[in-house]
Amino acid sequence: MKKILEYDEVTSTNDVCFDLIENGERDGTAVVALSQTKGRGRQGRFWISPKNEGLYLSFILRKPKEKLSQLVPLTLALAVHRCVKEYSYNASIKWPNDVLLGEKKVAGCLVESKKDLLVAGIGINLNNAADSFTKEMGATSIKAACRKTPDPVKFRKKLFKEFESLFDELEKNGTGEIIKELRENCSTIGKSASFVSGGQIIEAAAKDIDSLGGLIIERPDGKIEVLYTGEISDGS
Ligand code: BTN
């Protein structure tokens, strides 16, 4: 990471990145905040961001070549997974971009775009108390699930390292190794669940991940389909 900007409190680290881009900032900059007042998740959800309990950060990235953009959220999830698995063998990736501990979500990624750049936001529940999350939220923290208290600065350093090494791998050698590691650690594969396809919710069995990070699913009638995240919303 070329530059790391640290803040005490922001609305959303993704929004800070958008403002920076508006003022000429380029890729290689990361924004980290101790708390967020308007942390957001995918599909307009709120991301609870209390001070010193979680890690809230966003990176500015160059958009990868056309079809590789859809691999960005999964690659981020893989970087987070490499860090979370140090605390538990029970860590997995839920396609397309969540990290779970057991069945509960411990981290999520929100990738948005502005001009020719991407803003990749990551939220990780590190030291939140177990009762910070309602049952309906289906969430946990590393502390609540593993009874360990990760140091946010050490965690962040490892995350930057993993993230840089994965994006180097993607640029230099393509998708092969990344897809392999995703397949090995994706708990969605082998499960039946509800998926959104063409705006409709369908029941299907997740079979595999294809070479571009798409999820291969099988409908009850045997029809095979590939789902792509297609969830990089435009922040401009
Ligand atoms: C999700 O799982 O829905 C994605 C959650 C992403 C949350 C992070 S926290 C840092 C960055 N700033 C935000 O406002 N959102 C992301």
Side-chain angles (χ1 to χ4, degrees):
M1 214 51 59
K2 289 185 212 140
K3 202 196 294 181
I4 300 173
L5 301 171
E6 297 184 70
Y7 296 84
D8 199 35
E9 185 172 273
V10 298
T11 51
S12 149
T13 52
N14 273 32
D15 288 344
V16 175
C17 286
F18 287 147
D19 290 345
L20 288 168
I21 294 171
E22 208 50 63
N23 289 303
E25 197 76 26
R26 300 297 303 165
D27 56 289
T29 296
V31 169
V32 186
L34 294 182
S35 67
Q36 302 183 114
T37 53
K38 287 187 185 156
R40 48 196 160 78
R42 290 159 56 226
Q43 289 147 5
R45 285 189 291 256
F46 186 66
W47 186 262
I48 56 163
S49 314
K51 189 163 183 166
N52 291 331
E53 292 186 20
L55 206 53
Y56 321 110
L57 45 90
S58 303
F59 312 95
I60 302 177
L61 298 174
R62 233 173 321 121
K63 265 188 198 162
K65 278 177 241 130
E66 188 68 23
K67 289 199 167 159
L68 292 185
S69 275
Q70 64 207 16
L71 252 182
V72 170
L74 275 166
T75 307
L76 291 175
L78 199 52
V80 177
H81 176 262
R82 284 184 177 181
C83 299
V84 174
K85 76 172 189 201
E86 303 248 299
Y87 298 88
S88 168
Y89 64 89
N90 224 355
S92 71
I93 295 165
K94 180 180 171 196
W95 188 92
N97 53 7
D98 292 345
V99 176
L100 306 183
L101 275 169
E103 294 295 315
K104 292 185 176 171
K105 174 161 167 168
V106 72
C109 311
L110 173 70
V111 183
E112 299 175 301
S113 78
K114 191 168 179 86
K115 300 182 180 169
D116 59 334
L117 296 167
L118 293 181
V119 173
I122 304 178
I124 306 156
N125 302 325
L126 294 183
N127 290 313
N128 316 60
D131 61 8
S132 323
F133 310 105
T134 60
K135 205 170 171 216
E136 294 69 47
M137 288 163 105
T140 190
S141 69
I142 292 179
K143 183 178 177 183
C146 314
R147 300 189 198 286
K148 290 175 190 158
T149 47
D151 177 80
V153 176
K154 279 197 198 140
F155 196 103
R156 187 177 98 190
K157 279 192 183 147
K158 179 163 167 61
L159 182 61
F160 286 152
K161 198 175 116 255
E162 297 299 352
F163 175 77
E164 278 167 359
S165 106
L166 283 166
F167 276 83
D168 268 4
E169 170 71 23
L170 196 61
E171 287 207 337
K172 289 189 190 128
N173 303 323
T175 61
E177 285 302 310
I178 288 175
I179 296 295
K180 183 169 173 277
E181 193 175 329
L182 279 169
R183 281 189 178 128
E184 285 165 3
N185 294 289
C186 179
S187 50
T188 314
I189 298 173
K191 283 200 181 132
S192 289
S194 306
F195 297 98
V196 181
S197 170
Q200 285 189 328
I201 297 179
I202 54 163
E203 290 297 317
K207 294 290 184 189
D208 203 353
I209 291 179
D210 79 358
S211 61
L212 287 171
L215 187 70
I216 303 172
I217 56 163
E218 184 179 356
R219 292 195 186 226
D221 63 4
K223 199 169 152 243
I224 300 286
E225 231 174 273
V226 185
L227 305 179
Y228 290 101
T229 61
E231 275 203 46
I232 300 179
S233 58
D234 199 345
S236 50

